[in-house]
Amino acid sequence: MCGVNLRNGVVIAALAVVMPFASAIAACPDLSGTFQCPAADGMPASTLVVTNKESGGGAMQYAFTYKIGGKDMSLRADASDAGIKKPDGQVTSCTASSYIHKGPNERGEGTRSFINVAGNFEVVSGGKTQRICVRKAK
């Protein structure tokens, strides 16, 4: 009888360790930082500033600000692992490593933004890298 209680205690202790880890896996990634982006696809070179703030339940609020020639162009988006659908049909979602934006008529995964293994901000669409912005030293 004592062995059964000990076994149950071990199972409960194991679950207590695994459960917080499982919820952390579903959370959106921290993409924050300042990055230098080269000119590409008709866009001039720019500085990208990404900020993000957890908004509960595994969701994240992102702000992407491109600084180009003294002007700022900003985009704000909320994302969650379940996806957030906007009235115009766009969906923003995330995985543990990527922020994903998908247009209403876009096929496939959509556009995925993430911090690559080198620590730089990378944007992939249609399976192809569209842009890599290099992290600026602090």
Side-chain angles (χ1 to χ4, degrees):
M1 183 77 98
C2 186
V4 170
N5 287 338
L6 179 59
R7 194 174 306 141
N8 289 342
V10 170
V11 170
I12 290 169
L15 286 174
V17 170
V18 171
M19 291 304 285
F21 182 69
S23 65
I25 290 172
C28 295
D30 178 357
L31 301 177
S32 62
T34 302
F35 307 89
Q36 201 60 46
C37 304
D41 296 328
M43 288 184 64
S46 61
T47 299
L48 169 63
V49 178
V50 181
T51 58
N52 45 245
K53 176 174 75 168
E54 289 184 38
S55 56
M60 188 78 80
Q61 296 175 339
Y62 291 99
F64 304 94
T65 302
Y66 284 92
K67 299 178 176 286
I68 304 170
K71 295 182 182 179
D72 292 356
M73 295 186 336
S74 294
L75 166 72
R76 298 191 187 284
D78 293 322
S80 73
D81 60 347
I84 298 172
K85 188 171 185 174
K86 298 180 181 186
D88 63 1
Q90 295 184 50
V91 177
T92 52
S93 62
C94 63
T95 65
S97 61
S98 300
Y99 162 82
I100 302 164
H101 175 269
K102 187 172 182 178
N105 300 316
E106 194 171 354
R107 293 178 183 246
E109 177 188 52
T111 301
R112 189 168 55 95
S113 301
F114 58 96
I115 304 298
N116 65 21
V117 294
N120 300 319
F121 188 87
E122 187 167 342
V123 178
V124 173
S125 183
K128 296 181 183 176
T129 298
Q130 302 298 312
R131 191 169 227 196
I132 296 177
C133 300
V134 177
R135 185 178 295 272
K136 291 177 92 174
K138 292 182 181 183

